[in-house]
Amino acid sequence: MKTASFPARGFSSPKDVQAQLDDWFTTVANVRTHAVLKTSPAEAFATDRAGMRPLPPYTPTFGTRPAVRLPRNYYVTVDTNHYSVDPAYVDRLVTVHTTLHQVIVTGPGGETIASHQRIWAKGRTITDPAHQAAAKAMRQQRATTPAPKPSFDIAAADLTVYDRITSSPAKRTTA
């Protein structure tokens, strides 16, 4: 394309460049036999297209994952990145919606509980300061609040039954 289409051509606008390039692809580039493929790109595309299945009769849902249980670390993973979520939703089902620009997490009632700009780098951890502060407050509250004592009595088991079962056969009486 660098040497076959552009040299000795004049262009009046970007639209003119696109129009001439489209014409060149249609009449020259896509109809010639490719040295490596041993076929033309147009014929290869026609073969590929013939093997494709038709699209489903409904519009597929993009960017929504089925509900996932929010782990104790209060982060959801999209690609290889980790995005924080309100820690009040730990161990509850949340739904992750992704677009090209955003990661949005909704709670069980459909309410938005996290919204982040999508990061395309790999292996990053994105933390909302509000989520971090809420997690810290929850940890502090748990550390200072004593565990509740059980409000029920547990009956003591009669362990003499084990003595009767394990006693020697001579001492046992049969009925």
Side-chain angles (χ1 to χ4, degrees):
M1 185 173 92
K2 291 178 184 175
T3 59
S5 175
F6 284 118
R9 289 184 183 244
F11 307 107
S12 60
S13 69
K15 286 184 180 182
D16 184 37
V17 173
Q18 188 63 54
Q20 288 189 39
L21 191 58
D22 290 345
D23 181 59
W24 180 79
F25 274 124
T26 306
T27 59
V28 178
N30 288 340
V31 293
R32 69 174 174 79
T33 300
H34 193 276
V36 175
L37 297 175
K38 306 289 189 232
T39 186
S40 72
E43 290 170 354
F45 179 71
T47 303
D48 284 350
R49 191 169 192 172
M52 293 180 189
R53 294 186 205 167
L55 291 174
Y58 55 87
T59 304
T61 303
F62 293 100
T64 300
R65 288 194 316 196
V68 295
R69 191 165 302 281
L70 186 63
R72 291 187 65 163
N73 70 359
Y74 66 92
Y75 284 85
V76 293
T77 303
V78 175
D79 293 331
T80 61
N81 295 323
H82 308 287
Y83 297 88
S84 69
V85 178
D86 184 349
Y89 290 85
V90 165
D91 207 29
R92 294 176 68 191
L93 293 177
V94 298
T95 304
V96 181
H97 307 273
T98 56
T99 68
L100 293 175
H101 306 290
Q102 276 192 309
V103 173
I104 300 167
V105 182
T106 57
E111 68 279 13
T112 299
I113 57 175
S115 181
H116 295 279
Q117 179 181 352
R118 188 165 185 179
I119 304 297
W120 290 97
K122 300 289 182 190
R124 302 291 171 90
T125 300
I126 298 86
T127 304
D128 184 330
H131 298 157
Q132 192 172 27
K136 183 177 181 180
M138 290 171 76
R139 282 191 300 272
Q140 288 173 342
Q141 180 184 10
R142 185 173 178 140
T144 59
T145 305
K149 295 188 180 201
S151 63
F152 52 88
D153 294 327
I154 299 175
D158 179 18
L159 300 179
T160 58
V161 71
Y162 294 108
D163 292 335
R164 287 192 303 264
I165 293 173
T166 59
S167 65
S168 66
K171 292 181 183 177
R172 266 193 237 154
T173 59
T174 58

